[in-house]
Amino acid sequence: MAGHRYQAPRGTFDVLPEAARVRARIQDTAAAIFARAGYEPIATPIFEDTELFERGVGHSTDIVRKEMFTFEDKGGRSLTLRPEGTAPICRAYVENGMHALAQPVKLSYAGPFFRHERPQAGRYRQFHQLGAEAIGTDSPLADAELIGLLAELLAELGVPGVELRLGSLGSLDARRAYLEELKAHLRAHEDALAKEVRERIDANPLRAFDSDDEGTQAVMAEAPKLVERLEGEDAAHFAEVRALLDAAGVAYEIDPTLVRGLDYYTRTIFSFVCDRLGAQSEIGGGGRYDGLVEQLGGKPTPAVGWAAGIERIALALDESVEATGRDVFLAVADPERRPQALTLVGELRRAGLSAELDLAGRGLKGQLKHADRIGARQVAILDADGAQLRDMSSGEQRPVEVGNLLEEIAGGVA
Ligand code: HAM
């Protein structure tokens, strides 16, 4: 009886080798940029205590209210598959006493994240982010450096149609007065608002800017804007971030309606959008989160960072990366030579060459055909008398001493 055929769970996908090559290029490019700028890699667990995200990301956010994959372990603890990376990294910063290191601590990461969202192009339930954080500085230089790194990554990869939107939420204290003003505006126009927005006037009024409801959008067009209300140090900080980006030649647009789906942001927020992505147009974004480390039990520690979606970058690039092919395929004309072939292929690999041998018990003809299919540039044939080396592009074949095979093959690669 045929067994049941399974499918990957809704909102997830397999990364097949062709897509994996594109993703490797994205991750390698990012890793090189991070390394040059001194953002050291960090990895945190895939699951954390549920409370970390409730407190860190915020009770009123969509992520915490609706999108977390939460489960109980056998000890009755509530755990959650990480929906984002910043709260875990701040937890790790506090837990590992990283405040004692030279500040800021500059970190980078890449890995899977989980949100129970309605799947569509560019939106998945398991997706992958790469990101960078600078923890322990409130300098606008850190904001500008980080924004510049993401701009550089997207440019170096060749992502087309990218725009940078910039905003500022001010510090937590300064924001309080503004939020009262915004709530009053929302209440005055309550009838025109979407139900969801109306229900969250008190809990999360800023998210009204993000609504795709037409009535709400009309109300928000007239709403007071936080960027226009910034004062004192908040205004100075934002002005300096802008001046630094101007000096660095990073183009941006101020977006007074920009808000983000996580509660921890303070001051600078930014979003890189791409016109090739349809509804899920944000390719990456982030901002400052000056209160998060303290909220998670650490000392007051300002910080800034971003994350970008690997799938969204790949979608925007819409490219394929050719498989590299093999330097050599080692064929055996005589099954007796198989042990020798296995030893030899090991030597070739240790010498830095990509080398394969037949794993399927094919005859010589079948092996040559296979070598061609996998894109081998040369084929070495071990036969009864010794060895032959064939150049697959010219078809030229000549006898070589078995003892000289390694040098001969390496010569054919150069
Ligand atoms: P976020 O905006 O929630 O921020 O996610 C960052 C990026 O992850 C998005 O711009 C998008 O490219 C990608 N992304 C988010 N959700 C999905 C999904 N369901 N499917 C595919 N891609 C997705 C954060 O997560 C913050 N931790 C960023 C940050 C770091 N802020 C400061 N430091």
Side-chain angles (χ1 to χ4, degrees):
M1 212 174 75
H4 181 74
R5 291 171 64 122
Y6 295 95
Q7 289 181 331
R10 187 165 148 77
T12 71
F13 51 87
D14 301 306
V15 180
L16 301 181
E18 209 178 303
R21 289 197 292 272
V22 176
R23 298 165 72 102
R25 184 171 90 82
I26 295 169
Q27 277 182 250
D28 293 350
T29 307
I33 288 175
F34 291 148
R36 292 199 298 261
Y39 286 76
E40 300 265 9
I42 182 169
T44 59
I46 300 292
F47 53 83
E48 298 266 1
D49 284 338
T50 300
E51 233 185 277
L52 172 68
F53 299 114
E54 289 173 344
R55 283 188 64 91
V57 174
H59 282 98
S60 69
T61 59
D62 281 350
I63 295 180
V64 169
R65 285 170 64 235
K66 305 191 262 197
E67 297 170 1
M68 297 208 297
F69 282 92
T70 297
F71 60 98
E72 216 173 76
D73 75 359
K74 294 195 194 317
R77 297 171 203 89
S78 180
L79 299 174
T80 292
L81 299 184
R82 58 184 194 183
E84 65 98 45
T86 308
I89 287 177
C90 290
R91 193 242 340 113
Y93 178 93
V94 175
E95 186 173 340
N96 296 288
M98 288 195 235
H99 64 276
L101 304 176
Q103 304 291 303
V105 175
K106 299 197 296 180
L107 301 166
S108 63
Y109 57 96
F113 293 86
F114 306 84
R115 294 183 194 176
H116 199 285
E117 297 194 74
R118 198 166 43 76
Q120 65 180 81
R123 189 164 72 191
Y124 313 98
R125 291 184 175 173
Q126 175 174 339
F127 58 98
H128 299 76
Q129 287 184 348
L130 45 88
E133 319 280 353
I135 306 178
T137 174
D138 64 3
S139 167
L141 265 174
D143 308 46
E145 169 169 292
L146 276 155
I147 292 171
L149 288 179
L150 181 48
E152 188 183 334
L153 172 65
L154 299 175
E156 198 170 318
L157 287 168
V159 178
V162 175
E163 252 177 54
L164 167 59
R165 305 209 170 125
L166 190 66
S168 174
L169 297 173
S171 58
L172 288 174
D173 286 342
R175 193 148 83 213
R176 242 163 248 139
Y178 164 77
L179 287 181
E180 288 314 314
E181 203 184 330
L182 179 61
K183 284 181 202 169
H185 177 80
L186 290 171
R187 279 202 203 93
H189 300 88
E190 220 168 319
D191 296 346
L193 299 175
K195 183 167 166 280
E196 240 209 10
V197 176
R198 214 180 312 135
E199 284 170 359
R200 279 204 276 171
I201 292 183
D202 280 316
N204 203 343
L206 278 175
R207 289 298 296 207
F209 282 111
D210 232 8
S211 171
D212 41 27
D213 170 69
E214 261 181 46
T216 306
Q217 284 175 354
V219 174
M220 297 324 282
E222 302 299 319
K225 308 286 184 318
L226 187 44
V227 213
E228 291 151 14
R229 295 274 193 291
L230 295 177
E231 285 176 3
E233 286 183 22
D234 288 341
H237 194 279
F238 191 45
E240 190 156 355
V241 172
R242 292 192 322 255
L244 289 166
L245 291 175
D246 291 339
V250 178
Y252 59 86
E253 212 161 293
I254 303 291
D255 182 352
T257 68
L258 187 63
V259 286
R260 301 192 56 74
L262 304 106
D263 274 357
Y264 49 62
Y265 290 115
T266 52
R267 292 191 166 170
T268 315
I269 50 171
F270 54 91
S271 172
F272 284 80
V273 292
C274 171
D275 62 13
R276 315 291 151 105
L277 286 180
Q280 301 306 312
S281 64
E282 187 185 280
I283 209 157
R288 245 185 199 285
Y289 47 96
D290 291 343
L292 183 57
V293 170
E294 187 179 9
Q295 201 182 347
L296 298 176
K299 296 184 170 51
T301 309
V304 54
W306 54 258
I310 294 179
E311 288 77 21
R312 294 200 189 161
I313 296 176
L315 272 173
L317 284 172
D318 191 23
E319 68 176 14
S320 59
V321 174
E322 291 239 348
T324 44
R326 309 290 177 276
D327 293 324
V328 64
F329 184 86
L330 208 56
V332 290
D334 171 4
E336 300 265 312
R337 309 287 298 272
R338 281 182 187 154
Q340 194 187 1
L342 186 63
T343 309
L344 199 56
V345 88
E347 285 171 17
L348 290 165
R349 290 169 183 168
R350 283 190 290 280
L353 299 170
S354 58
E356 286 194 58
L357 77 173
D358 177 48
L359 299 177
R362 295 179 177 88
L364 183 59
K365 226 172 123 187
Q367 292 179 59
L368 294 177
K369 206 166 140 190
H370 185 66
D372 192 41
R373 282 189 74 177
I374 65 168
R377 287 177 281 278
Q378 304 176 82
V379 179
I381 305 164
L382 300 182
D383 57 24
D385 312 320
Q388 306 270 332
L389 191 58
R390 180 194 289 220
D391 180 313
M392 294 296 274
S393 52
S394 67
E396 184 195 316
Q397 185 169 318
R398 62 198 166 85
V400 290
E401 293 276 335
V402 176
N404 293 341
L405 252 183
L406 207 156
E407 287 75 41
E408 294 280 355
I409 292 168
V413 170

